[in-house]
Amino acid sequence: EFYNNSNILSSILYADSAQISNRYNNMIAKGHVVIYSPETDLMLLGDQVLWDNNAKRILSEDDVTIIKIIDDSQCIQQSHGFESDMNLSNYIFYDIKGKINEGCF
């Protein structure tokens, strides 16, 4: 679980395994990675992501899928590479696959 500066839950991360660097508090999560943000109602799916504690950013150089629910419909975007803050509100898609639907992201 990731909390913002006001101690409010920003996102929840699930993965098969994770390795945390005690020196820098960075983390690599691997295998069936799911990150969900209740603040933005976005979900990230991938095989590996890195939490860069110094930059406070979620990073991935692998394929990821982002899902957003809007009025009973799903917006889905896939990319090869992704970067975001901890609540998935300020993000960058790299090497976008497919087309982003207008009004989704």
Side-chain angles (χ1 to χ4, degrees), residues 3-51:
Y3 293 86
N4 65 18
N5 292 336
S6 301
N7 208 27
I8 296 172
L9 181 65
S10 288
S11 59
I12 302 166
L13 181 143
Y14 300 94
D16 290 341
S17 65
Q19 181 179 5
I20 299 172
S21 164
N22 290 329
R23 185 175 202 177
Y24 301 107
N25 288 325
N26 293 336
M27 177 186 63
I28 298 174
K30 296 179 181 181
H32 302 100
V33 177
V34 177
I35 301 174
Y36 174 70
S37 172
E39 289 184 42
T40 60
D41 207 22
L42 282 173
M43 185 181 313
L44 177 143
L45 308 171
D47 289 325
Q48 180 172 304
V49 297
L50 165 71
W51 167 252

Side-chain angles (χ1 to χ4, degrees), residues 42-44 57 60 64-68 75-84 88 90-97 100 104-105:
L42 282 173
M43 185 181 313
L44 177 143
R57 302 289 286 172
S60 179
V64 297
T65 300
I66 308 297
I67 301 171
K68 182 174 186 174
C75 293
I76 299 172
Q77 181 58 53
Q78 295 179 323
S79 69
H80 184 77
F82 180 79
E83 181 178 336
S84 178
L88 303 176
N90 296 303
Y91 45 80
I92 301 168
F93 294 110
Y94 296 106
D95 194 14
I96 294 172
K97 297 179 178 191
I100 298 176
C104 279
F105 297 98

